[in-house]
Amino acid sequence: MTEQNSMHAPLIIDVAGTALNAADRRRLADPLVGGVIHFARNWQDRGQMSALNAEIKALRPDILVCVDHEGGRVQRFRSDGFTLLPSMRTLGELWMRDPMRATQAAVACGHVLAAELRACGVDFSFTPVLDLDYGESSVIGDRSFHRDPRVVALLARSLAHGLLQAGMANCGKHFPGHGFVRADSHVATPVDRRSLKAILADDAKPYDWLGGTLAAVMPAHVIYPKVDARPAGFSPKWLKQILRDRLGFDGAVFSDDLSMEAARSIQGELLSYTDAALAALDAGCDLALLCNQSIGESTVLDEVLDGFAAARRNGGWKPEAVREARRRALLPRGDALAWDDLMRSPAYRQAAATLSGL
């Protein structure tokens, strides 16, 4: 086994545009990079996205190609045949009228979402959102299925089943819950002052109930001061003691985007990008996301790659085989259907028809 194949590849980065440039290719070749996350700026049409991902996979066949593609207002690809997926709140509202039809629609949503992405070479989407809808959080809002954690868990399980039908894994977010706080963690550090008992009894229940279903989890950039002074994504107490030990989760843990300034502020100290990524891994994350740093003249990604290499040399960071195994477990299962074949697939056509009536 080569060093590249055996080394833990903990960094998820982005690329600048609709095709790879020289800097993108150099970074993707680095064995520290385990994944790519796409944004709307990387999308032109299906042919272009397929070609971009084929070029990425030619450089690194084992890399995980990701996107935030949930449905509703968080859907990166919205043209050239892609189905406009409903918000998760739409499924929750349907549950209140017809629970069985809502379950069926959630499966269909997951199937269509995953099958269309995989037809364009995307391996993985950061979905489903497990946050509860308290009506307070603008950043979560209609991304949440429901206020009731039981409804959230059942619809999320159904959506994950649909993803799996098309060979895609899943990611529950944002552990242990982002829905209670009003602040947007993209621009501030939200604080949830409830007790651990209250959070585990409500917001975190879907993670408990879905322990055998979730392939990955993304923690919230939220501080829960009655549990830990650090945000959940930098907290060994949340990630190791509670998520791993108490709830028994054994899948992959992603950091949320470490490019957000609020995400790199820990107990009053603003960390460098490298130190933030290392801190997230040390706390219990397996993979660290650094988004929107490939654009323009930014040198952040190169600094982080150099910083990790230096940390590895001086013993400040040690690759772990178990973490690499968790990353590889997120790669898709089975062959993806080409777009034209997908449009003729009976399972896809049935799922799309189920969604068309929502």
Side-chain angles (χ1 to χ4, degrees), residues 29-300:
D30 194 304
L32 288 162
V33 173
V36 173
I37 179 168
H38 288 319
F39 293 91
R41 70 169 188 277
N42 302 116
W43 166 264
Q44 179 178 316
D45 54 44
R46 288 187 284 108
Q48 165 270 325
M49 179 54 61
S50 298
L52 173 61
N53 291 327
E55 187 176 4
I56 290 170
K57 290 287 188 175
L59 287 170
R60 290 284 302 282
D62 66 323
I63 210 161
L64 185 71
V65 180
C66 313
V67 69
D68 258 333
H69 198 86
E70 302 167 5
R73 59 192 165 94
V74 181
Q75 180 172 338
R76 303 305 185 206
F77 311 151
R78 309 176 69 90
S79 58
D80 200 13
F82 264 80
T83 301
L84 294 180
L85 300 165
S87 70
M88 297 306 97
R89 179 183 284 168
T90 298
L91 299 177
E93 290 170 344
L94 179 58
W95 173 278
M96 300 305 292
R97 303 191 301 273
D98 188 339
M100 296 311 296
R101 185 160 175 254
T103 300
Q104 180 188 34
V107 175
C109 189
H111 187 126
V112 169
L113 184 161
E116 291 180 353
L117 288 178
R118 290 204 63 202
C120 295
V122 177
D123 300 324
F124 183 79
S125 177
F126 292 103
T127 188
V129 170
L130 301 182
D131 301 314
L132 306 187
D133 185 5
Y134 288 90
E136 291 292 323
S137 173
S138 61
V139 72
I140 301 301
D142 64 359
R143 298 165 66 193
S144 170
F145 289 105
H146 205 273
R147 167 62 183 88
D148 189 328
R150 298 169 298 179
V151 177
V152 170
L154 288 168
L155 289 177
R157 187 188 300 274
S158 297
L159 188 130
H161 180 66
L163 294 173
L164 192 59
Q165 287 178 339
M168 184 177 285
N170 61 71
C171 180
K173 60 186 187 183
H174 305 85
F175 176 79
H178 199 308
F180 189 78
V181 290
R182 182 173 297 179
D184 181 349
S185 58
H186 292 84
V187 296
T189 303
V191 178
D192 185 335
R193 300 190 182 280
R194 292 176 298 163
S195 67
L196 175 60
K197 181 179 179 180
I199 295 166
L200 290 179
D202 206 7
D203 297 61
K205 287 304 291 184
Y207 296 90
D208 186 9
W209 292 326
L210 298 174
T213 298
L214 294 175
V217 164
M218 178 180 288
H221 281 325
V222 176
I223 296 173
Y224 308 85
K226 290 187 178 177
V227 182
D228 195 346
R230 288 176 165 240
F234 293 105
S235 167
K237 185 164 186 179
W238 275 115
L239 299 182
K240 295 179 180 179
Q241 295 179 27
I242 298 173
L243 181 62
R244 295 283 189 207
D245 297 341
R246 186 163 180 168
L247 300 182
F249 178 69
D250 194 38
V253 177
F254 289 88
S255 79
D256 204 342
D257 177 17
L258 297 174
S259 296
M260 297 182 281
E261 186 168 313
R264 292 182 285 114
S265 180
I266 303 178
Q267 294 174 279
E269 179 185 1
L270 182 62
L271 300 184
S272 70
Y273 293 93
T274 300
D275 288 344
L278 289 169
L281 297 179
D282 188 56
C285 292
D286 301 299
L287 297 150
L289 271 83
L290 288 157
C291 303
N292 299 312
Q293 296 302 319
S294 64
I295 309 167
E297 302 301 315
S298 174
T299 59
V300 165

